[in-house]
Amino acid sequence: MPPDPVSPSPAPTVPELIPSATVLVARDGPDGIQVLAVVRSQGVSFAPGALAFPGGVVDPGDWTLAQGLGQGRAQEGEIEPYRLAAIRELFEETGLLLAEGVELMDGEHLARCREPLLRGELDFAGLLADLGLRPALDSLAHVAHWITPRSFPRRFTTHFFLAPAPPGQEPRHEAGELTAAFWMNPGEAIEWHRSGRHRLMLPTLHSCGRLARFATVAEAMAGMGFEFRPAPD
């Protein structure tokens, strides 16, 4: 009697890609270019304890707001909802707001405006409407697109942006997901990773290496061309 045929093993399930955005906020410091870094708390599900840049998942409201601002149909392949997510996440995590006219606002008032957003009492579109502000989408240069490897339990398709720091604003980290937010030299961050002082994920480490080649924000904005980093099979 011939042996029973062996059924092929089912193909492993590959998690769906989650749209997300990250922003490198840079300023000119006394010893060269500086970039805003955050330290993720140990309690978060993704990259706990890592030194990273502000950012997060693209929310449904980001797609809706992009459409309302006339930035196209806000379909998945379009970039403007990612820009809005980067701006929103930056404000939620650090209190820095990239918006037209925000320089006329008092910093303490801006910090108080963030509180109902963090409590979920107000969405980002509503906050902008209340303040009479429009997100500064044109201030964000699209510099990279990273996709998480297929072997990861959670996979992200993440667009990276570079933006000049808003004048007169200083970071105040959100204490739930972060333990710190501060300005750092990108070259120094690479040394921190090598020495074990801080852990940097590969996209963060690579971005610091690219940014460290420039002496000023203007040079970085002009010289950081777009890079695509697909996930390995």
Side-chain angles (χ1 to χ4, degrees), residues 55-67:
V57 173
V58 182
D59 284 349
D62 300 321
W63 303 95
T64 304
L65 182 54
Q67 191 172 28

Side-chain angles (χ1 to χ4, degrees), residues 42-89:
Q42 293 292 342
V44 298
S45 59
F46 182 75
L51 188 149
F53 302 123
V57 173
V58 182
D59 284 349
D62 300 321
W63 303 95
T64 304
L65 182 54
Q67 191 172 28
L69 291 171
Q71 300 293 335
R73 293 172 294 171
Q75 293 179 347
E76 186 173 354
E78 297 177 356
I79 201 67
E80 298 308 328
Y82 290 87
R83 279 194 170 90
L84 281 165
I87 293 174
R88 175 184 52 77
E89 287 284 347

